[in-house]
Every structure is written in structure tokens, then in C-alpha cells.
Amino acid sequence: AAQQVAIIGAGASGLCALKCCLDEGLVPTCFERSGDIGGLWRFEEYPEEGRASIYRSVIINASKEMMCFSDFPIPEDFPNYMHNSKIMEYFRMYARHFDLLRHVCFKTSVCRVAKRPDFATTGQWEVVTESEGKQEAAIFDAVLVCTGHHTEAHLPLSTFPGIEKFKGRYLHSRDYKDARDFTDKRIIVIGIGNSGSDLAVEISQTAKQVFLSTRRGAWILNRVGDQGYPIDIIFNTRMKMFLKKLLSPSMVSDFAEKQLNMRFNHSHYGLKPKHRILDQHPTINDDLPNRIISGRVLVKPNVQQFTETSAIFSDGTREDIDAVVFATGYSFSFPFLEGCVKVVENQIPLYKFMFPPNLEKPTLAFIGLIQPLGAIMPISELQCRWATRVFKGLNKLPPRQDMEADIEQKREAMAKRYVKSQRHTIQVDYIPYMDELACQVGVKPNLLTLFLTDPKLALEVAFGPCTPYQYRLRGPGEWAGAREAILTQRQRIIK
């Protein structure tokens, strides 16, 4: 009989999990706690418990050729950087095209995932779900956890003395929907990640004044790169990755920081961090310097304390304020997985960020539990292609000691490179990580063979953007349209 696979969540990762299971002849059942697909990308007027929540204006910061599923290019008339409503449109097309929705149980939440008593021999799980107040248990041969890492607000109130005395309103960025409530008010946004900088810009259109408070500053990248091309297709090429390997990190940083300071000098704008550009997940925002130079956003250091009506900053200045938006990120946990995995300070030891190394059978995988420099969709998809093959026994995982050594080595590399923070525990670089997964599945493009057999394609693979189609050129899951998609990607970008 075909293996039964439980998929938890029907967002970006859950959808490609469904498709990969079907491709491999497995029988998937996807449990989605809300009434619709799309996860994080589906805008709702009110934040829902246990589900990621976005504001009305969110636009993705990865461009369409870099973020599509690898055998389903985004239509050429879609913009390069898509609004959340367009991303939902794409997801619906994908789900329709591969007929995925009939495998989704909506309004069904997963309460518990536990090993069966005979797990050591069968690798089976008991999954307890709840729908309309009724609980139900079912047995599955494998489980794919696709719940993401943007559900639980990380709200470090204890580090902001006096917040309990503050008379105004304070909220986490996940509860922000649009700027209407902040008209003519004085607002502090705390945090300069992608949400913090986005919200500071947006609120500053209507507010009386916005203060953007940051502990360590940030390097700000533009969505729009040289000659107006999307920044990610300029950066994410195999050639650039090869050059980056040849140079020391500090040389790479020197070069990149010089480019960014040419656009605006970060120290003049109060944004220059002490750390190097490669040491932090980058912030992408085209409008922030404009809002700063026009005084609508004032950059401030960390808040030392709050009073009833004001904030006092670490440089001694004080400002009267009406509201505070904490853009302080997220933490993740998996309450339904009672004893199998522990998350401590956003750290969870997983082989290649997917497999718990201590299970007798590799029948549980986490999909999309990564923070890539790039889009998550194609990474989740490749993770699923590998996981489903591991479930079927077509690919084997190495012995436990080797997996633990690999986890440790990755953790040390991350700790060495990145500023210590909640968000830097699941960082991966797009091309190296995709290639690592591709090697496991046997779909990494072979440049040498390509140059000998198909030089035109080889040039685009080596020097053009490393688009997801590259991982459909050969091996399991090969797609006949991959070559054509790569050779026409520039036309779709320009169109």
C-alpha cells in the first residue's frame, strides 16, 4: 500500500509538500487550521491565533523568477515583486494546476503528533486532529511539518522598563494592518528588520512623526538594483558565489558596503551598524532613505525606558509618543510534537535543518524552517523532494553521529558569522543550501557536462541568476520545460 503522509499547514511549504508527495506516489493528507490556503501570504483583516499575520500592503522582497516553484513559472505578466494578493493568485493557480486542494482538510488543527508504540520498526506516527470541536486520531507513515516560523510574536517587554506604565497603545508588528489608526500621532517603531523598516515608512505617510529605534543599525538593500533589475537576480548567480568563495568575507563586505554607501552613506543616516554586511540578515527597503531625508522618519537608538507618555532613549533624548510598534520578530515552537523535539532560544538541532537526528526511523521532517537570503518557496520545494524520497527509502540518511557532527558544524559556522540574535539560528545562503539539498536528491546541475553538451544553457546557468528551474534539468523529478524556462527567464523579467 502507498505510504500515508500527514502535512501540517497549507501555506507556501505545505502546498509544495502536497505536490511532491503526489509526484512520488505517496498519499498526502494536509491539515490546515484556517479555512483557506496561503499561510503567511493570505491577508486577513484580523490576526488569527496560531497563524502568521501580515499587513495590507506587504510586497515580497524576492523577485518572481527567484521565488517560483521550479516546474511552474510565474506568469510573465505578473510583476517582478509581487503584492501578497498576487502571491495568493499564484498559489491558487499552482493548487488548481496540480489538483492539490482535494487533499486538504480545512479548519482542522493538529493537537498532537506522537510515535506509535512500534515506531522503532514501523516509523509510524499517531496524529490527533481537532475539527469543529471533535478530536480524531489517525495513523501516518510519515509527517511533514510545514508550520513556518512567523506565528508566535517575540515581544521582549521585560527589556523595556516602564512599558507597563505607558498610557498609549503598544502592539507587535503582526497585529498591524494599516496606518489608519496612526494618523497625526507620534509613533515609535522598534526594530529595523524588514517589517520594522516597512512599517516606519508606511506609518510615516500619515503620522505626525515616526521614530525608528534600532539597537545596532542595519545595512539597507534596494529591491531595485543596477539598471533597474531586481537585486536578487543580480546577486544570486553561480559566478558571484564562486567569486565570493575566492575572496575573504571582509573583502566581500568591503565591496558590498561600498556599493550600499554610494546610494546613501549609512553613517550620515544614523543607520551604519558596527557589524559587517554579511553578519546579519539584510534589510530590504527602497523608501527608507527618502523618508529619513524628508524628516518623516527619525532614526533613534534603543529605548532605555518608557514613561506614561514618552520614551527615553539610550542617548538621553526623550520624545513624547502616542503608540509603540514592536517589530521585534518571531519565535517558533511545535507544541503538538510533545517529546520529539525541543526548541531552545529559537534553536532546534535538525540535520540539514530538516531531520531530527535522534529518531530510529527518518519519518519526520520540517519544511521551510529556515531563514534564507532569498525566497523560501523553491527551498521548501527542494526540501520536500528530498524528504519524500527519504520516506520512500530511495535516499538514506547518514548515521546519527555524522548527522550530529554536521548540525554542530553548521551551528558553529552560523554563530561565528552572524550577530548573536533570535533571528540568526536558521540562516541559510540560497545557492549553497539549494546545492546541498540538490546533491542529496541527485539534481544538482553539472556545469562541466552542460558546457560540453549545451553551451548556451551552461552560460545562463553559470552567469545568470540561479533560478529554481536549474534543479529540474536532470535526475529525479526532471521537468521537460526547465531548459526553456531558463533560456527565457530574462524576457519574463523585463516584461
Side-chain angles (χ1 to χ4, degrees):
Q3 285 179 291
Q4 302 279 336
V5 181
I7 297 170
I8 306 175
S13 298
L15 290 174
C16 56
L18 276 167
K19 166 162 186 305
C20 292
C21 284
L22 295 170
D23 284 350
E24 288 289 348
L26 306 171
V27 182
T29 307
C30 175
F31 300 107
E32 165 57 51
R33 66 187 302 157
S34 73
D36 198 356
I37 60 168
L40 176 127
W41 291 104
R42 193 175 87 245
F43 172 78
E44 296 285 349
E45 296 282 342
Y46 300 102
E48 300 165 28
E49 180 61 36
R51 196 176 89 80
S53 151
I54 54 173
Y55 38 101
R56 194 182 304 277
S57 65
V58 172
I59 289 172
I60 195 166
N61 53 27
S63 70
K64 67 175 177 183
E65 294 299 317
M66 297 299 299
M67 63 152 276
C68 63
F69 296 120
S70 61
D71 55 0
F72 197 71
I74 292 173
E76 54 176 35
D77 57 327
F78 277 41
N80 280 289
Y81 287 108
M82 302 193 295
H83 181 256
N84 57 76
S85 57
K86 274 291 193 216
I87 293 175
M88 281 305 296
E89 209 178 310
Y90 173 63
F91 284 167
R92 293 194 197 288
M93 289 163 65
Y94 183 77
R96 228 186 353 264
H97 186 264
F98 294 110
D99 196 13
L100 305 178
L101 294 187
R102 58 199 184 93
H103 303 280
V104 184
C105 309
F106 290 109
K107 294 205 173 346
T108 306
S109 48
V110 172
C111 319
R112 194 170 75 245
V113 173
K115 293 177 176 177
R116 305 251 359 252
D118 56 2
F119 182 85
T121 50
T122 63
Q124 288 183 326
W125 299 89
E126 181 178 58
V127 177
V128 179
T129 55
E130 183 173 324
S131 178
E132 295 174 353
K134 288 199 300 289
Q135 286 206 353
E136 224 172 281
I139 291 165
F140 289 93
D141 297 300
V143 178
L144 289 169
V145 181
C146 304
T147 50
H149 52 93
H150 292 104
T151 20
E152 296 171 36
H154 172 62
L155 196 56
L157 293 180
S158 58
T159 56
F160 294 98
I163 187 76
E164 66 290 337
K165 294 204 285 279
F166 178 61
K167 290 265 170 55
R169 174 182 175 205
Y170 68 85
L171 64 153
H172 187 272
S173 60
R174 87 183 288 275
D175 298 317
Y176 170 86
K177 290 294 166 183
D178 51 45
R180 281 183 298 211
D181 305 345
F182 299 113
T183 308
D184 293 333
K185 301 252 202 308
R186 292 165 66 84
I187 310 295
I188 290 189
V189 177
I190 294 178
I192 197 172
N194 288 309
S195 301
S197 50
D198 258 7
L199 298 195
V201 165
E202 181 166 300
I203 295 171
S204 74
Q205 314 282 354
T206 53
K208 185 181 268 176
Q209 182 67 60
V210 171
F211 303 97
L212 178 56
S213 162
T214 166
R215 286 177 302 187
R216 44 171 112 90
W219 293 101
I220 311 286
L221 276 74
N222 231 0
R223 276 192 179 88
V224 182
D226 296 346
Q227 297 174 3
Y229 280 101
I231 190 95
D232 53 358
I233 71 156
I234 298 172
F235 273 124
N236 284 317
T237 71
R238 292 186 175 279
M239 187 60 194
K240 294 243 164 73
M241 183 185 75
F242 176 70
L243 291 173
K244 206 172 124 181
K245 273 206 190 114
L246 293 183
L247 303 172
S248 70
S250 74
M251 282 159 82
V252 177
S253 289
D254 283 341
F255 175 74
E257 288 166 14
K258 199 169 147 198
Q259 300 281 95
L260 295 186
N261 279 327
M262 295 237 300
R263 187 164 140 254
F264 70 93
N265 185 324
H266 282 55
S267 50
H268 296 171
Y269 280 66
L271 294 173
K272 183 175 190 293
K274 290 191 187 67
H275 57 259
R276 307 303 309 264
I277 184 165
L278 296 179
D279 304 351
Q280 182 193 38
H281 190 72
T283 295
I284 299 181
N285 197 300
D286 293 53
D287 306 313
L288 187 62
N290 307 344
R291 305 310 289 167
I292 295 173
I293 203 168
S294 55
R296 308 307 300 140
V297 171
L298 285 175
V299 179
K300 293 295 231 177
N302 205 16
V303 174
Q304 206 164 13
Q305 67 176 67
F306 287 98
T307 69
E308 290 184 359
T309 57
S310 69
I312 299 164
F313 298 92
S314 59
D315 60 358
T317 55
R318 168 196 289 251
E319 297 287 353
D320 288 334
I321 47 162
D322 301 305
V324 186
V325 180
F326 287 95
T328 42
Y330 294 87
S331 39
F332 52 84
S333 67
F334 306 96
F336 48 84
L337 275 169
E338 285 163 343
C340 299
V341 287
K342 287 270 180 289
V343 183
V344 183
E345 288 186 358
N346 265 8
Q347 295 210 25
I348 175 170
L350 297 172
Y351 180 59
K352 307 286 186 213
F353 301 97
M354 290 170 59
F355 293 100
N358 52 350
L359 296 176
E360 300 90 332
K361 295 272 189 217
T363 53
L364 169 69
F366 292 78
I367 304 298
L369 186 57
I370 37 170
Q371 176 92 302
L373 297 179
I376 202 158
M377 294 75 169
I379 301 186
S380 290
E381 182 194 28
L382 198 44
Q383 286 183 329
C384 290
R385 287 170 69 188
W386 181 31
T388 49
R389 291 179 64 78
V390 169
F391 294 163
K392 281 173 73 175
L394 296 170
N395 292 127
K396 297 267 182 283
L397 296 186
R400 179 173 172 173
Q401 308 81 303
D402 298 8
M403 292 201 274
E404 285 173 349
D406 186 80
I407 292 169
E408 190 48 38
Q409 180 231 322
K410 280 195 167 45
R411 209 174 53 90
E412 281 170 17
M414 226 180 307
K416 214 167 91 179
R417 168 170 163 189
Y418 290 104
V419 175
K420 184 171 165 45
S421 124
Q422 282 270 123
R423 73 199 298 212
H424 291 141
T425 55
I426 49 173
Q427 286 292 132
V428 297
D429 282 323
Y430 182 77
I431 301 179
Y433 184 64
M434 287 289 274
D435 278 354
E436 207 173 325
L437 294 173
C439 287
Q440 305 289 333
V441 187
V443 296
K444 183 175 174 231
N446 184 332
L447 273 174
L448 197 59
T449 314
L450 276 184
F451 269 111
L452 296 173
T453 56
D454 193 343
K456 184 179 169 192
L457 179 64
L459 282 170
E460 188 61 25
V461 168
F463 295 95
C466 183
T467 45
Y469 323 121
Q470 294 197 4
Y471 301 98
R472 289 279 181 187
L473 287 169
R474 66 182 194 102
E478 187 179 327
W479 173 50
R483 178 178 191 269
E484 180 64 10
I486 293 171
L487 293 176
T488 53
Q489 59 198 11
R490 306 218 174 235
Q491 282 138 267
R492 282 193 303 278
I493 292 165
I494 293 163
K495 196 167 168 102

